[in-house]
Amino acid sequence: RKNRPVQVVGIFSTRGSAYESEVWADIAAVRGAFGRQGLVSSMRAKLQSADRFDTFKTRIESDRRMKLDVLREKAYYDKQSEGLALFLTVMGMLIAVLFSAGAIIGAMITMYAAVDHRKREVGTLLTLGFSRFHVLSAFVIESIFLAVVGGGAGALLALLMKFAKFSTM
């Protein structure tokens, strides 16, 4: 039910926990708004001691009427974010492959332009008696040197990315 007015009655803090990103509301109102009468997707329980988790888990999961899985908070959020993590990994790899192909094509175009711009130099070297193999080798060695210098500079700049922080939530 779109545009239904709601009244905010408070804002809470949980010392940086993921619960700060949630909206808490009356369960009957939320079930009605989303058409999920009789369903609960998750519950949170606070135990008196962390040592009692295994006992609590065994007791809840052994009751076949409830059909519940018991997870620690971190494991629950790890499980919830698996899909997003897979999506980001696949998209990151796809973008990396496409950018790599673009970089290879750009480098190839640059090398062709550099060789074309140096026709006189190539002609002079051939006239002086250098073989085509030696002229080609000189260009290949020069391009490898430039690639190593450029790659090293790129790697050093990439090290600065450890100071950048990106969030998906």
Side-chain angles (χ1 to χ4, degrees), residues 77-95 168-169:
Y77 283 111
D78 286 346
K79 188 176 177 181
Q80 291 293 312
S81 64
E82 284 175 353
L84 179 62
L86 177 64
F87 173 75
L88 291 176
T89 301
V90 169
M91 288 303 293
M93 294 298 272
L94 181 64
I95 290 170
T168 57
M169 298 295 201

Side-chain angles (χ1 to χ4, degrees), residues 95-142:
I95 290 170
V97 167
L98 292 175
F99 278 29
S100 297
I104 290 169
I105 291 169
M108 187 175 64
I109 290 170
T110 302
M111 286 307 298
Y112 276 130
V115 171
D116 187 55
H117 184 70
R118 295 164 68 181
K119 282 182 187 175
R120 284 188 179 168
E121 184 180 335
V122 172
T124 303
L125 289 172
L126 291 173
T127 303
L128 289 174
F130 288 97
S131 69
R132 299 184 109 196
F133 175 77
H134 287 110
V135 173
L136 175 64
S137 298
F139 277 104
V140 170
I141 290 169
E142 181 181 337

Side-chain angles (χ1 to χ4, degrees), residues 7 9-10 12 14 18-27 30 44:
Q7 179 183 8
V9 295
F12 64 94
T14 58
Y19 287 106
E20 288 183 0
S21 67
E22 295 183 356
V23 175
W24 289 13
D26 178 64
I27 192 166
V30 172
R44 182 180 186 195

